[in-house]
Amino acid sequence: MKIPLSRVAHARSGDKGDTSNIGIIAFDPRHYPILVREATAERVKHFFGEMVKGNVERFELPNLGALNFLLHVALGGGGTLSLRIDAQGKTLGAALLRMEIEIASGELS
């Protein structure tokens, strides 16, 4: 079945220049493998579409039950150059939590 990522994780996000940084943290350590399987760099890039002009990198942090994503060329030039409403990328983590992931029945129990 499909569920939003927000059912198994929360997010923190920010920026450095034109790169957005998004951390996705599992609510329960048992759900970390779901994040690893479902939240790939490719899927994140596809989810944001044309908003992310550069590469998406993913870093695994199993000791924290978290994934960290760097979205390059994603903020229209960054804080002082961009005409975007969220030039600092603070809301991109919340947006990513809307991405649908696939889980098997029983994986959330």
Side-chain angles (χ1 to χ4, degrees), residues 1 4 7 23 32 41 48-49 60 62-63 65 68 79 81 92-93 96 105:
M1 81 176 143
R7 289 272 309 274
Y32 176 68
F48 284 109
E60 297 180 10
N63 58 326
N68 190 59
L81 299 175
L92 294 182
L96 183 57
S105 87

Side-chain angles (χ1 to χ4, degrees), residues 17-19 73-84 87:
D18 200 15
T19 299
V73 194
L75 299 172
T80 59
L81 299 175
S82 181
L83 297 177
R84 290 188 183 179

Side-chain angles (χ1 to χ4, degrees), residues 42-56:
E42 295 79 18
R43 288 198 63 213
V44 170
K45 169 103 171 148
H46 182 263
F47 179 78
F48 284 109
E50 290 299 313
M51 180 184 272
V52 177
K53 306 268 187 238
N55 293 330
V56 172

Side-chain angles (χ1 to χ4, degrees), residues 1-9 31 34-35 37-39 43 96 98-103 108:
M1 81 176 143
K2 290 187 178 196
I3 62 167
L5 187 56
S6 63
R7 289 272 309 274
V8 295
H31 300 148
I34 296 170
L35 296 183
R37 182 186 73 227
E38 295 293 319
R43 288 198 63 213
L96 183 57
R98 294 186 329 217
M99 183 176 79
E100 288 192 333
I101 60 172
E102 193 77 35
I103 63 162
L108 290 182

Side-chain angles (χ1 to χ4, degrees), residues 29 32 36 59-67:
Y32 176 68
V36 171
F59 300 91
E60 297 180 10
L61 303 140
N63 58 326
L64 300 175
L67 300 175

